Amino acid sequence: MRLHPVSRVLLALAALALGINLVMPIWRIDLGAPQYPEGLYLQIFHDRFAGDIDKINGLNHYIGMAHIKNEMFPEFEIMRYAFYLLMAWGLVTALIGRRAVLLSWLFAIAAFIIWAVWDMYAWGYKYGHELDPRAAIKVEGMAYQPPLIGHKQLLNFDAWSTPDVGGWALFFTSAIATIIFVLEWRRSHRAAVRA
Amino acid sequence: MKRPLMLTTGTLTLAGLAFVLVNSLPGCRPTTTQTVVTGDAAAKVYVKPGTHDEFYNFVSGGFSGQLAVYGLPSGRLLREVPVFSVDPESGYGYSEETKGMLMTSSGFIPWDDSHHPELSQTDGVPDGKWCFINGNNTPRIALVDLGTFRTKSIIEIPNSAGNHSSPFTTGNSEYVVAGTRFSVPMGDDAARDVSISTYKENFKGNVSFIHPDPGTGRMSIAFQIATPGVNFDLSHAGKGPSEGWFFFSCYNTEQAYSLLEVNASQRDKDFIMAVNWKLAEQLAKDGKGTRVPGKHYSNWWNEETHSAETTVHEDVLQLDPKDHPGLLYFMPCPKSPHGCDVDPTGKYIVGSGKLAALIPVFSFEKIQKAIAANDVEGDFAGIPVLKYESVLHGEVKKPGLGPLHTEFDANGNAYTSFFVSSEIVKWNVEKLEVVDRVPTYYSIGHLMVPGGDSKKPWGKYVVAYNKITKDRYLPTGPELTQSAQLYSIDGDKMELLLDFPTTGEPHYAQAIPADLVKPREVKFFKIEENKHPFVAKGEKETKVERRGKEVHVWMTTIRSHFAPDNIEGVKLGDEVYFHVTNLEQDWDVPHGFAIKGAANAELLVMPGETQTLKWIPTRVGVWPMYCTDFCSALHQEMQGYVRVSPANSTVPLKGETVSVDAGV
């Protein structure tokens, strides 16, 4: 049994919405401290960092954190292909209109999110723990791993890690795809009962 | 007991009783100054930590030659902008780049006496773009850019001596003016070398119209108008109906040249001079002026090269009013007029005769009528003198003693300062009636209402700028601070809110709502736009180079080190130029540069800027240098060394920053 036409249109739109990640930032980290009333922020795009990178690097060099540079991340070279793949997969799902394909797309999105979260955690762990032994300020037992999501206090800074526009788009796409899958499953189940 | 003794004892007893009696009655004691302040004054001037003042207040630094910036209503000093005087703290006037700003036809002049700040205007209202200020002693006008709070441009005024009636602006800052206080002989050397007693024949005054380029702020003298020899004091442009006219007060119409205190106070009336500047502008455009000798410097700060550019002009365009009737008129004004202020409607011109016991108010409409009807009482050195009664709107009778200056609010009221009776008097311009008066502590000179000399005063406060402060502050030896006093003018009664000390002697001042200035603030200079010939846009571009006896160091600063910080190969007899580029690109991160034995100054280098300090070592040895502006937790580590060898040394020239590997 094919997916409902409305579902297929919505799936196509959801797949296209992933494209937002190719132009808008995916994630952001905000930093606040008494002496930075205007705040500092870091944005993660699919291919680069943006925001107050120089200022953050300038501050972090005291405690020996690595300078954030785009070159540190081979992910920036390949992330766009992941989005191309997921978008194409979603559009094919809408075209073919089979639930099994939709399920495979859902798994693909889930796999991507798990990989992205793990990758970010791993980077954050490394960034926060691998400190330059020549650092001017050493605080015994202190690590500076940014929060994966939500708030964390790092010395005098409050750090917030939250999805940016792209992250929310990814969230909505997976949510819509999941809801459609559940509704379609129930629809086919009812059809089976009637038959 | 003998009688005289009894009498003496009796008298002493009576006197003692009277003394005790008088002193025990509070009503018989003079009231102290503190009693004037009412209960909620503190709340009205309290600016909560973390919040901003409502107004910027630009106050002349007087004999400091600088421009001071305060917040109102708090009275907090925010900044002292170096203008006419050198500033060793920042290196202004000492760094190779800034020296040109203080160049004049008399050479490098590192000081001046600044009197009158004036904000640039659009449609007759301050726009927050620039603040002009005059240099009184070596006639100059400066333009301070309110994006950077730095002196952007300084022009010297030729054929002028004592640049006092300056730098007042026209409604769209087409021109700022400069009237000479001293009349002097002009022309070539022979014409200038005359006996002082030939004042009447040989001494001439003039008023200059200076044009600031709207884009760059670079100033040039559009034209000068020659005048009879008198002293020009203050001025203000017409506005609204009087737009196109300028009014200058002048004294010493006695044309005295000695003991002016007496000799220039003889006549019952001096003049306010009305200038038809639109006509003068047209005459200048039509080529009606003549170029006369008048060497002057025009200095301009180039923000891309971070350096002064100096241009020298040999002459100036001058208009002679004798050839152009209708250009100038004199209006009699009682007793040595000082302030010359035009009300917001542009209909009335207020003259303040500093020795007069009344305030004359002239009507622009009547001036025009008198000119049309040729209603003159004679001429002064060939310039028509209009009849006093014909041009007068009216006189404010018995306002106080020694009126000096007048500012206005938006409700038709004028506020005049009285030096001798030490007070501010509020009066109605139309009705010429005194409405309120309040004492000042002590001896007020100028006063200022935010926007109070423009078309649209913001009102709210009047600030008194006082000459004398004894007993108002903790004493500091023979020299005491000058002082300003903030009064509320919101209600019917003026109310004293705050005293605050000022740097230098405060003369005139201007204030503008902070929101018109704040959004324009430059936070740092973009390093990629830096076109300084000796810029190093990164540590890789730093180097040391010998050019004969000159050693040039391309140096960078970033938290928290210099590159290079070890320099060797400098020899006695060398001149070392440290070209310091601050690589920081964040607000509020300047770096300082100082080296032991520097005979000039230190440098304060803003983010993205390059400044150069010249240093001539005097002895062989290793000389320390360090950062003077606390920049980071490692500021105290921001230091380096320069090795100086004998003149015949063969030590190779090198500069480096040596990094120690981890774990070593």
Side-chain angles (χ1 to χ4, degrees):
Chain A
M1 183 179 170
R2 290 233 166 182
L3 300 177
H4 192 276
V6 174
S7 299
R8 290 166 68 182
V9 170
L10 285 172
L11 284 172
L13 290 173
L16 289 173
L18 286 177
I20 289 171
N21 281 286
L22 296 170
V23 284
M24 304 283 266
I26 303 168
W27 208 263
R28 68 180 282 147
I29 296 176
D30 284 279
L31 296 166
Q35 67 270 46
Y36 282 87
E38 70 275 26
L40 295 171
Y41 73 101
L42 182 71
Q43 280 180 324
I44 304 168
F45 282 72
H46 74 284
D47 60 346
R48 73 201 136 93
F49 285 114
D52 301 311
I53 300 169
D54 291 340
K55 292 182 196 174
I56 291 169
N57 283 338
L59 285 167
N60 287 352
H61 95 281
Y62 288 132
I63 49 175
M65 291 172 82
H67 271 222
I68 303 173
K69 276 185 246 163
N70 289 336
E71 298 81 67
M72 290 159 74
F73 295 89
E75 293 90 331
F76 285 157
E77 297 297 322
I78 55 162
M79 207 139 43
R80 71 174 67 94
Y81 301 111
F83 283 112
Y84 293 157
L85 181 68
L86 287 178
M87 285 170 73
W89 203 320
L91 289 172
V92 167
T93 305
L95 198 67
I96 297 174
R98 290 282 171 196
R99 213 168 74 224
V101 185
L102 174 56
L103 188 62
S104 73
W105 190 46
L106 272 177
F107 275 117
I109 293 174
F112 173 76
I113 291 174
I114 289 167
W115 169 77
V117 168
W118 172 81
D119 190 60
M120 198 166 120
Y121 178 84
W123 166 73
Y125 185 89
K126 191 167 166 237
Y127 181 61
H129 286 81
E130 289 183 9
L131 305 174
D132 187 337
R134 298 181 306 161
I137 299 174
K138 288 182 187 125
V139 182
E140 197 60 46
M142 186 72 195
Y144 306 98
Q145 184 175 0
L148 191 62
I149 186 160
H151 171 259
K152 195 174 174 185
Q153 181 89 27
L154 297 168
L155 294 181
N156 57 330
F157 274 90
D158 281 300
W160 291 269
S161 179
T162 48
D164 212 316
V165 182
W168 288 115
L170 186 61
F171 173 78
F172 282 116
T173 298
S174 35
I176 286 167
T178 309
I179 291 164
I180 286 172
F181 178 79
V182 171
L183 292 176
E184 287 290 345
W185 183 79
R186 284 175 58 183
R187 194 166 71 95
S188 71
H189 189 69
R190 266 192 236 113
V193 170
R194 270 203 302 277
Chain B
M1 205 178 264
K2 283 178 183 167
R3 197 162 280 175
L5 191 62
M6 272 183 71
L7 263 176
T8 314
T9 314
T11 313
L12 276 175
T13 311
L14 270 175
L17 267 176
F19 180 78
V20 170
L21 202 67
V22 165
N23 279 285
S24 61
L25 291 174
C28 292
R29 301 284 312 250
T31 51
T32 58
T33 52
Q34 283 81 0
T35 57
V36 180
V37 178
T38 55
D40 62 343
K44 289 183 179 166
V45 300
Y46 184 66
V47 177
K48 270 193 294 186
T51 59
H52 291 166
D53 275 294
E54 190 183 351
F55 291 97
Y56 281 99
N57 184 197
F58 300 92
V59 184
S60 89
F63 38 68
S64 85
Q66 315 294 46
L67 176 70
V69 186
Y70 302 83
L72 292 181
S74 74
R76 297 182 291 200
L77 174 65
L78 306 175
R79 181 126 197 85
E80 230 187 314
V81 181
V83 182
F84 295 112
S85 298
V86 291
D87 183 45
E89 152 186 335
S90 63
Y92 179 79
Y94 294 101
S95 71
E96 296 308 300
E97 292 81 358
T98 54
K99 281 177 181 170
M101 293 303 287
L102 300 177
M103 283 305 294
T104 73
S105 60
S106 303
F108 178 79
I109 305 281
W111 74 278
D112 215 314
D113 173 25
S114 62
H115 278 230
H116 310 123
E118 173 90 334
L119 292 166
S120 58
Q121 295 188 355
T122 303
D123 295 329
V125 181
D127 54 20
K129 191 176 170 191
W130 299 323
C131 185
F132 300 96
I133 188 164
N134 62 329
N136 202 17
N137 181 62
T138 302
R140 286 179 279 184
I141 286 175
L143 179 157
V144 173
D145 188 319
L146 297 187
T148 57
F149 277 60
R150 283 180 163 197
T151 303
K152 175 85 184 154
S153 178
I154 294 184
I155 190 158
E156 187 184 4
I157 317 296
N159 301 325
S160 175
N163 176 34
H164 196 268
S165 54
S166 165
F168 300 95
T169 183
T170 53
N172 288 297
S173 290
E174 300 95 336
Y175 301 103
V176 291
V177 299
T180 184
R181 168 179 163 183
F182 300 89
S183 284
V184 286
M186 295 174 197
D188 57 21
D189 282 0
R192 295 203 312 275
D193 180 22
V194 295
S195 167
I196 297 168
S197 64
T198 62
Y199 186 104
K200 274 187 192 171
E201 305 92 87
N202 291 324
F203 286 44
K204 290 276 174 281
N206 75 59
V207 293
S208 305
F209 283 71
I210 291 109
H211 174 69
D213 182 273
T216 64
R218 198 192 283 254
M219 291 185 285
S220 57
I221 297 178
F223 52 86
Q224 287 189 329
I225 303 172
T227 72
V230 289
N231 289 40
F232 288 102
D233 207 0
L234 282 157
S235 59
H236 263 107
K239 41 179 137 8
S242 53
E243 172 97 40
W245 286 74
F246 227 108
F247 304 94
F248 293 80
S249 59
C250 53
Y251 62 102
N252 191 23
T253 49
E254 295 85 352
Q255 299 191 307
Y257 48 86
S258 181
L259 198 64
L260 264 64
E261 181 182 9
V262 176
N263 297 335
S265 306
Q266 294 306 302
R267 285 172 63 125
D268 186 37
K269 291 192 176 65
D270 293 283
F271 297 130
I272 282 179
M273 181 172 83
V275 180
N276 184 343
W277 67 260
K278 280 281 184 195
L279 174 61
E281 181 182 57
Q282 193 57 48
L283 291 169
K285 260 186 207 147
D286 294 346
K288 296 291 166 72
T290 47
R291 297 213 74 91
V292 301
K295 187 174 178 175
H296 62 282
Y297 275 58
S298 175
N299 310 320
W300 180 72
W301 185 253
N302 183 329
E303 257 164 37
E304 287 186 328
T305 61
H306 300 284
S307 305
E309 289 176 14
T310 284
T311 324
V312 186
H313 305 273
E314 292 299 331
D315 54 19
V316 64
L317 185 71
Q318 206 168 65
L319 294 166
D320 191 336
K322 287 201 189 93
D323 306 335
H324 307 290
L327 197 53
L328 298 186
Y329 295 93
F330 282 128
M331 307 187 291
C333 184
K335 285 283 182 192
S336 304
H338 189 55
C340 179
D341 301 290
V342 182
D343 88 315
T345 68
K347 283 154 74 177
Y348 302 112
I349 300 104
V350 179
S352 298
K354 56 184 184 272
L355 307 174
L358 53 82
I359 305 172
V361 180
F362 301 95
S363 153
F364 182 73
E365 200 186 330
K366 288 188 175 177
I367 295 169
Q368 292 308 297
K369 275 185 189 154
I371 290 171
N374 198 27
D375 195 1
V376 297
E377 61 176 45
D379 74 286
F380 179 81
I383 309 297
V385 180
L386 302 172
K387 262 200 197 117
Y388 179 64
E389 292 74 16
S390 305
V391 293
L392 194 69
H393 162 59
E395 292 169 342
V396 185
K397 303 284 188 194
K398 296 193 178 158
L401 293 176
L404 290 186
H405 304 280
T406 302
E407 292 265 298
F408 305 89
D409 67 16
N411 309 316
N413 297 307
Y415 300 81
T416 301
S417 59
F418 287 81
F419 176 81
V420 178
S421 54
S422 191
E423 60 187 333
I424 296 174
V425 173
K426 176 181 176 183
W427 51 277
N428 184 288
V429 179
E430 276 293 338
K431 295 180 190 154
L432 302 165
E433 279 167 6
V434 173
V435 184
D436 188 23
R437 59 202 320 137
V438 63
T440 61
Y441 308 96
Y442 305 93
S443 303
I444 180 176
H446 279 272
L447 78 173
M448 187 278 312
V449 173
D453 72 337
S454 77
K455 254 184 182 171
K456 285 185 185 153
W458 286 284
K460 198 155 183 177
Y461 304 109
V462 62
V463 184
Y465 300 95
N466 300 323
K467 305 297 183 192
I468 293 173
T469 57
K470 64 170 186 260
D471 89 9
R472 297 300 285 187
Y473 301 100
L474 285 177
T476 53
E479 189 179 355
L480 303 173
T481 181
Q482 270 75 22
S483 159
Q485 290 188 294
L486 181 78
Y487 297 79
S488 160
I489 56 170
D490 276 341
D492 289 338
K493 302 290 283 178
M494 290 180 278
E495 186 192 349
L496 176 59
L497 301 178
L498 179 74
D499 282 16
F500 59 97
T502 64
T503 77
E505 182 186 334
H507 292 266
Y508 193 40
Q510 298 262 282
I512 186 167
D515 292 339
L516 292 178
V517 176
K518 263 200 292 190
R520 301 188 56 243
E521 287 323 280
V522 172
K523 295 183 171 157
F524 56 84
F525 302 106
K526 294 197 178 98
I527 189 88
E528 61 269 23
E529 291 171 8
N530 184 323
K531 291 186 183 145
H532 193 288
F534 290 92
V535 65
K537 292 189 184 179
E539 292 189 13
K540 283 181 187 140
E541 296 180 18
T542 60
K543 58 181 171 178
V544 184
E545 199 178 288
R546 174 174 290 284
R547 294 180 183 175
K549 287 279 184 192
E550 290 179 0
V551 174
H552 290 270
V553 184
W554 280 253
M555 183 182 266
T556 60
T557 61
I558 194 154
R559 282 162 289 176
S560 293
H561 61 275
F562 296 105
D565 66 2
N566 279 203
I567 297 163
E568 299 200 359
V570 173
K571 295 186 272 191
L572 265 192
D574 285 346
E575 288 182 344
V576 186
Y577 291 84
F578 296 97
H579 307 286
V580 185
T581 301
N582 184 352
L583 295 178
E584 306 282 357
Q585 290 289 277
D586 193 0
W587 204 6
D588 203 21
V589 194
H591 286 290
F593 175 80
I595 182 157
K596 186 181 172 185
N600 35 18
E602 62 187 299
L603 293 178
L604 260 189
V605 191
M606 296 303 124
E609 188 185 29
T610 305
Q611 288 292 283
T612 302
L613 191 77
K614 179 175 161 181
W615 178 65
I616 303 170
T618 50
R619 277 197 308 175
V620 167
V622 174
W623 298 74
M625 57 191 187
Y626 69 99
C627 173
T628 50
D629 186 327
F630 208 105
C631 55
S632 75
L634 298 168
H635 162 74
Q636 199 71 349
E637 281 70 23
M638 192 161 172
Q639 64 172 50
Y641 292 109
V642 181
R643 175 183 169 189
V644 177
S645 304
N648 58 1
S649 155
T650 55
V651 175
L653 186 68
K654 69 169 178 182
E656 57 189 3
T657 310
V658 187
S659 183
V660 181
D661 288 330
V664 174

